[in-house]
Amino acid sequence: MTQKIALHTRLKPGKEAEYDRVHARISDDLDAALRGAGVTGWNIWRSGRDLFHVVEVADYQAMRKELATNPVNIEWQAVMSGLLDVEDDYSGDDMGLAKVWELP
């Protein structure tokens, strides 16, 4: 069964174009790391500096645990830390945004 996890992040002021540029194509190594950690889909929408993600993954907590020590992801997070208002250190029990409604 796949989990769908919604996330919200925010860019530092003036980093919108750079964020779009680095996400135009992620590396094959990062793609493989995400898929290896159980990710089957990841979509990001941007409104100004606000980013909204929907992650489709087998087990979100297991994915975070695996990516926390993955060298490819560590390198990617170093790039993201220069762009995001609050960087993700992959600690804690984050489960994304709480779902409040769904059209069945």
Side-chain angles (χ1 to χ4, degrees):
M1 185 143 134
T2 300
Q3 295 177 305
K4 274 191 180 177
I5 305 294
L7 306 170
H8 172 249
T9 54
R10 187 170 181 89
L11 294 171
K12 292 178 180 177
K15 296 297 184 176
E16 298 89 344
E18 186 176 354
Y19 184 87
D20 291 354
R21 182 184 56 75
V22 300
H23 279 84
R25 185 181 186 292
I26 65 167
S27 72
D28 292 341
D29 289 342
L30 181 59
D31 183 283
L34 292 170
R35 292 180 191 280
V39 176
T40 57
W42 195 314
N43 292 278
I44 304 171
W45 293 264
R46 185 173 64 74
S47 177
R49 293 175 41 216
D50 290 301
L51 303 166
F52 303 92
H53 312 242
V54 175
V55 182
E56 295 178 55
V57 61
D59 181 334
Y60 184 65
Q61 288 299 312
M63 176 206 79
R64 288 178 57 79
K65 185 177 270 187
E66 183 171 332
L67 291 177
T69 59
N70 183 300
V72 173
N73 185 59
I74 291 169
E75 183 179 326
W76 177 254
Q77 293 307 317
V79 172
M80 291 298 100
S81 72
L83 303 175
L84 298 174
D85 246 356
V86 177
E87 61 186 277
D88 187 355
D89 66 0
Y90 284 74
S91 65
D93 296 326
D94 172 61
M95 283 305 296
L97 301 173
K99 184 192 291 188
V100 295
W101 184 82
E102 178 179 349
L103 178 66

